Amino acid sequence: MHEDPPAHAPAPALAPGSATPTALAPPHSVTTVERGSFCIARCTCGWSGPARRSRDRARTDAAEHHTGTGR
């Protein structure tokens, strides 16, 4: 049986400049993974950065993605 939500239920908050409710946006958890001599930044949202020989650069890729300044 289907029940409609109560009429007084508050609407989910929207992220600034977004039509997607913030409650539905998955949290980002970025890590780095080593593959041989390369390091790759990966996120729980499915994003992954390029393979880097520099672990520091892979961490920078991860930080840029996490803050939204990267790709």
Side-chain angles (χ1 to χ4, degrees):
M1 180 163 110
H2 175 73
E3 291 185 31
D4 290 327
H8 64 278
L14 295 178
S18 172
T20 305
T22 56
L24 299 179
H28 291 259
S29 178
V30 187
T31 59
T32 56
V33 179
E34 295 201 21
R35 299 278 186 210
S37 60
F38 291 91
C39 191
I40 304 166
R42 292 204 173 149
C43 182
T44 55
C45 74
W47 173 87
S48 90
R52 305 279 192 181
R53 285 192 183 270
S54 167
R55 285 165 184 74
D56 187 48
R57 183 59 189 141
R59 285 190 291 270
T60 301
D61 291 341
E64 288 175 353
H65 172 73
H66 186 70
T67 60
T69 58
R71 297 178 202 102

